[in-house]
């Protein structure tokens, strides 16, 4: 997980994640990581169309952006 977030940060790659929001709802988001910290990170969220802070402990899954994979295949 951390490796993919770090790659998004370094290479400005879009990744997808399943995230547990503060209201205990699961959300599927496409993001580009902008800042990395020990317990959280800042990312541009395509769902909200804004920069957001995410707690690493609330991430359930991170994967490469499927849209990019489909175009390259």
């Amino acid at each position: 997980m951390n490796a993919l977030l770090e790659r998004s940060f370094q290479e400005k790659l879009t990744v997808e994640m399943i995230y547990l929001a503060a209201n205990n709802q699961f959300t599927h988001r496409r993001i580009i990581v902008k800042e990395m910290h020990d317990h959280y990170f800042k990312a541009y969220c395509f769902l909200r169309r804004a920069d957001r802070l995410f707690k690493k402990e609330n991430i359930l899954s991170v994967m490469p952006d499927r849209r990019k994979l489909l175009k390259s295949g």
Side-chain angles (χ1 to χ4, degrees):
M1 173 186 75
N2 280 331
L4 194 50
L5 293 174
E6 185 66 36
R7 187 168 173 216
S8 173
F9 174 64
Q10 295 294 331
E11 300 177 22
K12 306 297 183 229
L13 292 176
T14 304
V15 294
E16 295 182 49
M17 73 174 175
I18 306 297
Y19 188 77
L20 180 61
N23 62 1
N24 287 326
Q25 294 291 318
F26 297 107
T27 60
H28 177 246
R29 299 175 185 246
R30 290 178 52 244
I31 60 167
I32 298 175
V33 178
K34 295 181 138 193
E35 293 178 17
M36 294 286 291
H37 301 276
D38 288 338
H39 301 288
Y40 68 95
F41 61 94
K42 181 178 181 179
Y44 178 79
C45 175
F46 289 89
L47 178 66
R48 301 289 182 224
R49 295 185 180 149
D51 288 346
R52 308 288 288 206
L53 289 177
F54 297 98
K55 293 179 183 177
K56 288 182 180 179
E57 66 186 26
N58 288 359
I59 298 173
L60 302 174
S61 171
V62 178
M63 64 208 101
D65 186 357
R66 289 179 293 174
R67 295 171 194 206
K68 303 280 185 201
L69 293 175
L70 293 174
K71 286 181 183 177
S72 66

